[in-house]
Amino acid sequence: GQQLNQSPQSMFIQEGEDVSMNCTSSSIFNTWLWYKQDPGEGPVLLIALYKAGELTSNGRLTAQFGTTRKDSFLNISASIPSDVGIYFCAGPKAPISGGYNKLIFGAGTRLAVHP
Amino acid sequence: SAVISQKPSRDICQRGTSLTIQCQVDSQVTMMFWYRQQPGQSLTLIATANQGSEATYESGFVIDKFPISRPNLTFSTLTVSNMSPEDSSIYLCSVARGGGGGDTQYFGPGTRLTVL
């Protein structure tokens, strides 16, 4: 079945550093979603991408939909302690059909930020 | 976006019992989803719940173990039946909302279940 390969699995960085994480798939996707999950909470949608090549920012976060439609990356600039959490990429389980599809998730990137 | 609440937020249950989790959305939605997140793991879809029809279950999940109700367009329940310690997980509901291309989902805060 479809899989999303997310890397890195975890990161330990100093406050102020930039962070980059990515997701790849063997299948073409028409949507890429990036979520953040804080401990004890549900995932919160950070950025949604709908077009190949699309580059979208949300504050210090920037995400891009790869031109091959099989990958996406998320960058966090000038990290702060509240960026700590788990970041998940997600895409529709039926990659091409569109509409309200079921999601599959990457394994997550666990981010720790040292002050 | 969507405002989603879940009850209970957490519970500790005994083996062999059942727990019903409620999910309430602030506006009408067509599709609601239930996910499981096992400790330290990612999210796995359990089933899709449409109002007025039977829930559709993913491979590895069955209705007898995870019965779902969807009585109206703002509410759904998931029951975890005959629980065992392996059912200890966070259970999350989500709703689909159309974005620029369609497939965007918003999640509730989750229900953290511990089975002893």
Side-chain angles (χ1 to χ4, degrees), chain A residues 17-77:
Chain A
E17 289 184 1
D18 297 343
V19 173
S20 184
M21 60 193 78
N22 68 83
C23 260
T24 61
S25 169
S26 58
S27 304
I28 292 174
F29 275 61
N30 62 0
T31 300
W32 283 97
L33 306 172
W34 285 94
Y35 290 88
K36 181 192 178 195
Q37 185 175 30
D38 291 327
E41 302 291 332
V44 174
L45 182 66
L46 299 174
I47 293 178
L49 302 164
Y50 300 109
K51 294 180 181 178
E54 180 180 356
L55 184 70
T56 298
S57 293
N58 177 8
R60 293 177 296 104
L61 279 62
T62 302
Q64 184 158 27
F65 195 142
T67 54
T68 65
R69 298 172 66 188
K70 293 184 178 181
D71 63 339
S72 177
F73 71 77
L74 175 70
N75 286 346
I76 305 173
S77 63

Side-chain angles (χ1 to χ4, degrees), chain B residues 43-109:
Chain B
L43 284 75
T44 301
L45 181 65
I46 297 172
T48 303
N50 291 339
Q51 194 269 336
S53 64
E54 293 286 327
T56 303
Y57 289 82
E58 297 301 301
S59 175
F61 298 96
V62 295
I63 187 171
D64 290 345
K65 177 67 175 177
F66 297 102
I68 288 171
S69 77
R70 183 78 201 274
N72 58 53
L73 290 173
T74 62
F75 187 79
S76 178
T77 68
L78 170 76
T79 299
V80 186
S81 303
N82 188 24
M83 288 183 286
S84 67
E86 292 72 33
D87 294 320
S88 298
S89 295
I90 300 172
Y91 292 86
L92 297 137
C93 68
S94 75
V95 302
R97 284 281 163 80
D103 305 304
T104 305
Q105 287 186 24
Y106 299 91
F107 285 83

